[in-house]
């Protein structure tokens, strides 16, 4: 992430009055980040395999009673159904990403490549929603899902209730459209001359060329759906469909602490592993989101 | 035209529709059982005279203020520092980003345990080793909100760090070189090149953070449920209670519209006031 040079020049870095405080600073910051970033996670791992009394009486101790309870993880997985809820969460996240992809790629294609005359209007109407705080539509959105206009279907307790609303994301449409804008228009013209229709141009030119940005959209929508709590709490009242975020607070109320902490650890494990694997794409996505908002 | 169908349908049903419906509903009395009744500004009058709303507004403002004090400077300084690192900076950014990856519910349940008010609680035993505490954390009306802010800051700082870092990588190297040739020391290079470059992003993040913190919900709900003694009841928690506990959808949307108005006015004023500053 570093530029060719920053405020400190190579010459500065050799000066001891710059180098010494800088190195000390690095150590201090690294320790701080280790404690704040990794600390809670490592502690949770330790607590997940500790007896409840150890975690309560001396949270800082290293297995004070000498007992290590690996079975906590299994118990949380089985008895707390953490595995099942994680499955729901993954299913919700995958569906959200898929629906979002369909919406923002087709929208980007219309606005960036096909450019119909009413495209400007559509573009403005989508952009305008960026400026309306989500809170205005929380309650009416809930009522919409309760009884879909015209078709009068109740979407609550179906996964459509969590898949569809996040797809109305002006931000996703915007970043995808911007990416499509950067594809040279000669490609489309050449394809047209070769006799390709709109659908063909979309599936064999635009989509394959856009893999990086589509990856970012998928990652961002998976993260936000994985983190979401309020919306699934409202629209998925059937415990069999709930994601792990909604299930955990309920499990916490009725389960012993060691099993509860084991459950938290399991729920944390997957996002962290995913992050470590896709780290670059994650951080680029976030940087991008800041760039766009700016 | 076929390609526009998904976006049109989804936005119509789940974005444009609900926004309009929200404005309309704030003028109606509706509980989904009785027939809908037009009540004009009655919902707004009801909401504005509810003493709970005043308390929740003050709590929300208090949270926003605390969040800015705790949460705004740290990521900026951290990003400025990290942008000077060569080589191992990925390790630092990864560590800084781990709390952001933690699902909020997991983080809150974990921190609720950390905030155990007994002397053997996690934070109390750490502070106890240097002779401080024990503190009540979430159990006292005066420290509950700062405790929530502390957790929220921990959870959100990494995001801001990455955004500032991305902005800093776009500082042109020749600006630093020119400053250096003019004899500017490290401190002056940071002050006159780095900070001015960040100004636009800083202002934007400031606004986004204020808007974000004013919509605080999950933390107070799961940490304290709005207590103790209403000290962590926020506007959004109140909206949730109006709608999904009392079934008064009119009051809930009226309060939502008011909050949205405040946020809109705030952004507009902020944009106008800072228009001259953010250009480089």
């Amino acid at each position: 992430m570093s530029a060719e040079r920053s405020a400190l020049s190579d010459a500065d870095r050799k000066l001891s009055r710059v180098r010494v405080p800088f190195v000390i600073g690095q150590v201090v910051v690294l320790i701080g980040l280790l404690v704040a970033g990794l600390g809670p996670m490592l502690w949770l791992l330790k607590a997940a395999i500790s007896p409840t009394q150890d975690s309560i009486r001396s949270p800082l101790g290293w297995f004070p009673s000498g007992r290590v309870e690996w079975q906590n993880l299994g118990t949380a997985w089985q008895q707390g159904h953490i595995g099942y809820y994680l499955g729901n969460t993954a299913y919700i996240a995958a569906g959200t990403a898929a629906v979002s992809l369909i919406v923002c790629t087709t929208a980007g294609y219309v606005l960036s490549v096909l450019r119909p005359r009413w495209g400007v209007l559509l573009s403005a109407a989508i952009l305008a929603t960026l400026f309306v705080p989500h809170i205005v539509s929380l309650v009416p959105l809930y009522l919409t899902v309760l009884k879909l206009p015209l078709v009068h279907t109740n979407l609550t307790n179906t996964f459509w209730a969590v898949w569809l609303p996040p797809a109305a994301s002006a931000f996703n449409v915007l970043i995808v459209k911007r990416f499509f804008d950067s594809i040279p228009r000669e490609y489309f013209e050449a394809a047209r001359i070769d006799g390709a229709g709109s659908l063909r141009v979309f599936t064999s030119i635009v989509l394959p060329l856009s893999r990086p940005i589509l990856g970012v959209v998928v990652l961002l929508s998976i993260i936000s759906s994985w983190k979401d709590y309020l919306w699934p709490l409202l629209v998925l009242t059937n415990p069999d469909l709930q994601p792990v975020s909604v299930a955990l607070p309920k499990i916490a109320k009725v389960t012993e602490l060691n099993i509860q902490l084991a459950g938290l650890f399991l729920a944390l494990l997957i996002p962290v592993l995913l992050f470590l694997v896709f780290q670059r794409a994650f951080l680029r996505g976030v940087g991008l989101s800041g760039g766009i908002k700016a | 035209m076929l390609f526009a169908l998904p976006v049109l349908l989804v936005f119509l049903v789940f974005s444009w529709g609900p926004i309009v419906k929200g404005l309309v509903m704030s003028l109606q009395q509706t509980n989904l059982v009785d027939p809908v009744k037009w009540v004009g500004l009655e919902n707004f009058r009801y909401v504005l005279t509810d003493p709970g709303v005043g308390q929740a507004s003050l709590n929300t403002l208090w949270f926003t203020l605390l969040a800015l004090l705790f949460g705004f400077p740290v990521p900026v300084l951290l990003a400025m520092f990290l942008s000077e690192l060569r080589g191992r900076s990925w390790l630092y950014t990864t560590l800084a980003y781990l709390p952001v990856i933690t699902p909020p519910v997991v983080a809150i349940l974990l921190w609720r345990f950390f905030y155990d008010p007994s002397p053997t609680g996690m934070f109390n035993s750490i502070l106890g080793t240097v002779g401080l505490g024990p503190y009540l954390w979430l159990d006292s009306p005066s420290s509950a909100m700062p405790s929530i802010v502390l957790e929220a800051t921990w959870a959100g700082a990494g995001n801001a760090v990455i955004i500032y870092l991305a902005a800093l990588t776009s500082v042109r190297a020749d600006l630093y070189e020119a400053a250096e040739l003019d004899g500017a020391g490290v401190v002056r290079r940071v002050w006159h090149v780095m900070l001015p470059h960040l100004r636009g992003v800083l202002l934007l993040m400031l606004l986004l953070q204020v808007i974000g913190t004013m919509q605080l919900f999950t933390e107070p709900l799961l940490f304290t449920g709005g207590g103790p003694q209403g000290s962590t009841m926020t506007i959004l928690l109140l909206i949730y209670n109006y709608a999904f506990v009392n079934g008064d959808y009119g009051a809930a949307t009226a309060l939502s519209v008011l909050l949205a108005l405040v946020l809109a006015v705030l952004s507009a004023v902020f944009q106008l006031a800072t228009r001259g500053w953010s250009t480089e």
Side-chain angles (χ1 to χ4, degrees):
Chain A
M1 304 227 37
S2 61
E4 343 159 22
R5 71 152 291 171
S6 41
L8 292 177
S9 66
D10 291 336
D12 291 329
R13 284 165 207 266
K14 295 196 183 89
L15 294 175
S16 60
R17 73 186 154 82
V18 174
R19 204 182 60 222
V20 173
F22 192 57
V23 169
I24 294 175
Q26 282 183 39
V27 174
V28 171
V29 170
L30 185 62
I31 292 174
L33 286 176
L34 279 171
V35 170
L38 207 54
M41 230 163 263
L42 291 179
W43 184 85
L44 184 55
L45 170 62
K46 193 212 76 174
I49 53 172
S50 291
T52 299
Q53 284 310 312
D54 281 8
S55 300
I56 292 179
R57 291 226 183 96
S58 53
L60 295 175
W62 180 256
F63 299 105
S65 69
R67 293 221 315 275
V68 179
E69 295 182 339
W70 288 100
Q71 68 272 22
N72 289 350
L73 294 171
T75 313
W77 187 269
Q78 302 256 312
Q79 228 169 300
H81 306 289
I82 295 291
Y84 178 79
Y85 290 120
L86 281 173
N88 279 348
T89 311
Y91 194 56
I92 292 171
T96 308
V99 177
S100 297
L101 266 189
I102 294 173
V103 170
C104 65
T105 51
T106 50
Y109 187 56
V110 169
L111 297 175
S112 170
V113 181
L114 299 180
R115 296 192 191 165
R117 250 178 298 136
W118 41 266
V120 192
L121 220 71
L122 179 60
S123 201
I126 291 173
L127 265 182
T129 62
L130 268 183
F131 300 97
V132 183
H134 276 301
I135 179 63
V136 197
S137 46
L138 175 69
V139 175
L141 188 60
Y142 172 73
L143 299 181
T144 303
V145 167
L146 215 55
K147 190 176 164 190
L148 221 53
L150 298 176
V151 282
H152 302 299
T153 318
N154 184 348
L155 286 185
T156 57
N157 289 322
T158 69
F159 285 124
W160 293 109
V162 279
W163 286 344
L164 292 176
S169 154
F171 175 72
N172 282 348
V173 173
L174 192 68
I175 55 171
V176 169
K177 178 193 174 289
R178 280 212 186 171
F179 192 91
F180 287 1
D181 283 341
S182 70
I183 302 173
R185 298 196 63 81
E186 291 80 36
Y187 289 14
F188 311 137
E189 281 150 26
R192 291 239 183 249
I193 292 166
D194 290 345
S198 296
L199 186 65
R200 192 72 208 280
V201 172
F202 181 60
T203 52
S204 25
I205 297 180
V206 176
L207 289 185
L209 283 175
S210 313
R211 246 175 269 155
I213 196 71
L214 302 187
V216 168
V217 169
V218 167
L219 273 179
L220 290 179
S221 58
I222 288 179
I223 305 174
S224 66
S225 107
W226 201 282
K227 288 182 136 192
D228 203 7
Y229 172 72
L230 172 59
W231 187 248
L233 175 75
L234 288 179
V235 296
L236 297 176
T237 46
N238 176 359
D240 290 344
L241 304 177
Q242 287 171 345
V244 74
S245 62
V246 178
L248 279 173
K250 288 192 303 177
I251 294 174
K253 283 200 186 106
V254 294
T255 321
E256 221 201 321
L257 189 73
N258 55 350
I259 306 301
Q260 202 190 114
L261 292 168
L264 289 183
F265 176 73
L266 291 173
L268 177 58
L269 200 58
I270 292 178
V272 168
L273 290 179
L274 272 179
F275 168 62
L276 294 177
V277 173
F278 293 107
Q279 191 207 20
R280 281 173 153 258
F282 261 102
L283 299 178
R284 191 180 55 205
V286 175
L288 188 77
S289 66
I292 292 269
K293 283 176 199 154
Chain B
M1 184 63 212
L2 200 61
F3 282 101
L5 213 55
V7 72
L8 278 175
L9 274 180
V10 163
F11 269 82
L12 211 55
V13 177
F14 299 109
S15 183
W16 301 322
I19 290 171
V20 174
K21 197 162 157 188
L23 296 176
V24 172
M25 274 177 63
S26 64
L27 305 172
Q28 293 175 333
Q29 197 177 63
T30 165
N31 56 9
L32 300 191
V33 186
D34 303 321
V36 172
K37 207 168 79 192
W38 283 92
V39 291
L41 295 176
E42 175 57 28
N43 287 323
F44 290 93
R45 199 194 58 80
Y46 170 77
V47 165
L48 286 173
T49 51
D50 181 348
V53 172
Q55 178 64 37
S57 310
L58 287 178
N59 288 342
T60 307
L61 283 176
W62 178 225
F63 178 89
T64 305
L65 187 73
L66 282 174
L68 285 184
L69 285 177
F70 289 3
F72 197 67
V74 177
V76 185
L77 296 174
L78 196 57
M80 283 167 52
F81 183 80
L82 295 189
S83 75
E84 296 302 326
L85 291 178
R86 302 277 164 83
R88 273 187 308 282
S89 68
W90 63 268
L91 175 65
Y92 289 76
T93 32
T94 305
L95 285 173
Y97 205 68
L98 278 177
V100 186
I101 288 301
T102 311
V105 170
V106 172
I108 290 168
L109 293 177
L110 183 60
W111 277 66
R112 208 164 64 176
F113 178 82
F114 289 170
Y115 281 138
D116 182 348
S118 73
T120 56
M122 179 78 164
F123 286 159
N124 278 341
S125 32
I126 295 176
L127 291 175
T129 58
V130 286
L132 291 170
Y135 298 104
L136 284 174
W137 302 107
L138 297 165
D139 285 359
S140 130
S142 60
S143 64
M145 195 60 106
S147 304
I148 292 179
V149 175
L150 192 65
E151 188 275 339
T153 305
W154 169 83
N159 224 20
V161 170
I162 305 297
I163 290 173
Y164 292 133
L165 262 179
L168 280 173
T169 53
S170 68
V171 184
R172 295 207 326 272
D174 51 332
L175 287 177
Y176 287 128
E177 269 151 28
E180 199 178 356
L181 286 177
D182 288 345
V186 175
V187 176
R188 293 184 59 191
R189 267 174 261 158
V190 168
W191 189 254
H192 291 291
V193 181
M194 208 183 227
L195 273 181
H197 186 86
L198 273 186
R199 200 157 44 193
V201 185
L202 279 172
L203 289 172
L204 185 84
M205 293 293 285
L206 186 68
L207 183 65
L208 288 178
Q209 196 176 348
V210 170
I211 290 177
T213 53
M214 283 195 153
Q215 303 182 56
L216 182 74
F217 173 78
T218 310
E219 288 80 1
L221 179 76
L222 288 179
F223 267 129
T224 56
Q229 291 159 45
S231 60
T232 55
M233 179 59 77
T234 61
I235 298 271
L236 206 58
L237 202 51
L238 204 60
I239 292 173
Y240 174 85
N241 283 346
Y242 273 152
F244 304 110
V245 179
N246 306 340
D248 189 346
Y249 296 103
T253 42
L255 189 51
S256 309
V257 168
L258 284 176
L259 177 60
L261 270 179
V262 170
L263 295 180
V265 170
L266 190 81
S267 336
V269 169
F270 190 84
Q271 298 283 351
L272 279 178
T274 61
R275 195 156 50 178
W277 306 347
S278 56
T279 46
E280 283 161 38

